[in-house]
Amino acid sequence: MRIIRNAMTLGLVAGLGFAGAVAQAAADPILTRKAIMSSVGAAAGLGGGMMKGEIAYTPAAGKAAIATMRAASLSFGSFFPAGSDTGDSDAAATIWSDAEGFATELDKYSAATASAAAASGKSGPADLDAFKAAFGPVLGTCKSCHETYRKQN
Ligand code: HEC
């Protein structure tokens, strides 16, 4: 549960920052978490595209994909307050009924992004092989969380 509590503190700090910039937007954790996951999807598209050779690899782009994943893994867990289980969301009820299991999945995800960020260093992984070694494990964490904690449509 420590992860969730830390994530909530981060979320609060981030929330205070955003409040000044977008004062008129009503707080909507569902919109926020979906937008964060959407950025995760985009980063997976960039990183996966480079891994498959569909997008030319550059260390800067590798770093961007990893940094997006890292930021998402630290913020995503903050946007599941009680009561946000209904509405236009694919979050499964298991997130609230099995909060500990969800925290474990978040933990795996952030552990993978922490290793990737460490390997990324200042300028991004030097070559495609180094990027694959760093980014592959991050992509390996999507499925098990989605299987249990995201509605299967
Ligand atoms: C800790 C759990 C967890 C992990 C890890 C995770 N996701 Fe998700 N993801 C979710 C949940 C929950 C939703 C549904 C959010 C909602 O609709 O409120 C979601 C939704 C999404 C969406 C749809 C966003 C939208 O616009 O509605 C995409 C795309 C996505 N995830 C991609 C990924 C990818 C790619 C990875 C791996 C790099 C990943 N996710 C890792 C839990 C996770």
Side-chain angles (χ1 to χ4, degrees):
M1 296 306 281
R2 208 176 76 234
I3 294 282
I4 285 203
R5 217 168 31 240
N6 287 347
M8 282 183 163
T9 311
L10 277 174
L12 185 63
V13 172
L16 290 173
F18 291 151
V22 196
Q24 65 275 50
D28 182 343
I30 294 178
L31 272 185
T32 305
R33 73 194 183 215
K34 283 167 76 173
I36 292 172
M37 263 300 143
S38 180
S39 79
V40 169
L46 172 60
M50 291 191 292
M51 287 169 78
K52 284 187 257 171
E54 293 165 2
I55 300 171
Y57 181 74
T58 65
K63 185 178 177 171
I66 289 169
T68 299
M69 290 289 185
R70 181 72 187 136
S73 73
L74 293 177
S75 57
F76 187 59
S78 310
F79 298 97
F80 294 86
S84 68
D85 54 334
T86 55
D88 184 15
S89 168
D90 289 329
T94 42
I95 288 174
W96 293 271
S97 63
D98 176 24
E100 219 162 299
F102 183 58
T104 301
E105 292 298 333
L106 280 170
D107 208 0
K108 284 196 245 168
Y109 179 41
S110 66
T113 65
S115 301
S120 180
K122 234 180 137 189
S123 325
D127 56 31
L128 184 56
D129 281 344
F131 177 73
K132 283 180 180 170
F135 203 69
V138 174
L139 294 181
T141 63
C142 318
K143 196 172 163 224
S144 63
C145 189
H146 285 176
E147 268 173 2
T148 311
Y149 301 101
R150 183 188 182 189
K151 284 180 198 159
Q152 311 297 317
N153 294 318

